[in-house]
Amino acid sequence: MEVASFSEIEEEFNKRVQRIVWCTAATVDRQGRPRTRILHPIWEGATGWIATGRDSLKEKHLAGNPHLSLAYWDPQHQQIYADCKAEWVDEAAALSASLRALGESV
């Protein structure tokens, strides 16, 4: 499905990610091999927040290639696929404000 603008799918996207919550995230390691893990992104519009440490394996993968793919699935076979590009936000205040706006505890 080609989408010209996130606004075309935003309502349905939000419904599904709020219901399904957990997704499989794929990154690429230093040898170009795919690596997957289970994540719980917090979505703010078209921005998905994930947490990781600066010295984690996930960080090393994203430093080499900032692109990742997210796949959500549920037993009713409703899927969501998101192709993303990661970037760092180190400012705790900016992240805290975003999470508070979403009603998440900080």
Side-chain angles (χ1 to χ4, degrees):
M1 173 179 183
E2 289 292 321
V3 177
S5 170
F6 181 70
S7 63
E8 294 176 32
I9 62 164
E10 186 170 10
E11 183 178 346
E12 184 63 26
F13 178 88
N14 286 330
K15 284 181 193 175
R16 292 186 188 190
V17 298
Q18 289 171 8
R19 183 174 46 79
I20 300 170
V21 182
W22 295 96
C23 69
T24 301
T27 58
V28 177
D29 71 12
R30 293 179 183 176
Q31 286 83 37
R33 299 173 299 193
R35 297 292 182 214
T36 60
R37 65 203 32 90
I38 305 298
L39 296 178
H40 179 288
I42 304 297
W43 290 94
E44 182 178 14
T47 300
W49 297 94
I50 60 172
T52 193
R54 279 290 196 173
D55 296 317
S56 70
L57 192 56
K58 188 184 340 171
E59 185 277 335
K60 289 173 179 47
H61 294 170
L62 293 172
N65 182 341
H67 298 276
L68 66 156
S69 180
L70 305 179
Y72 291 81
W73 176 87
D74 72 0
Q76 291 80 34
H77 300 286
Q78 289 193 322
Q79 299 94 27
I80 304 165
Y81 300 99
D83 292 322
C84 308
K85 184 174 182 185
E87 59 184 66
W88 280 101
V89 175
D90 283 323
E91 298 82 20
L95 181 56
S96 294
S98 292
L99 292 175
R100 273 194 302 279
L102 294 169
E104 301 289 328
S105 60
V106 186

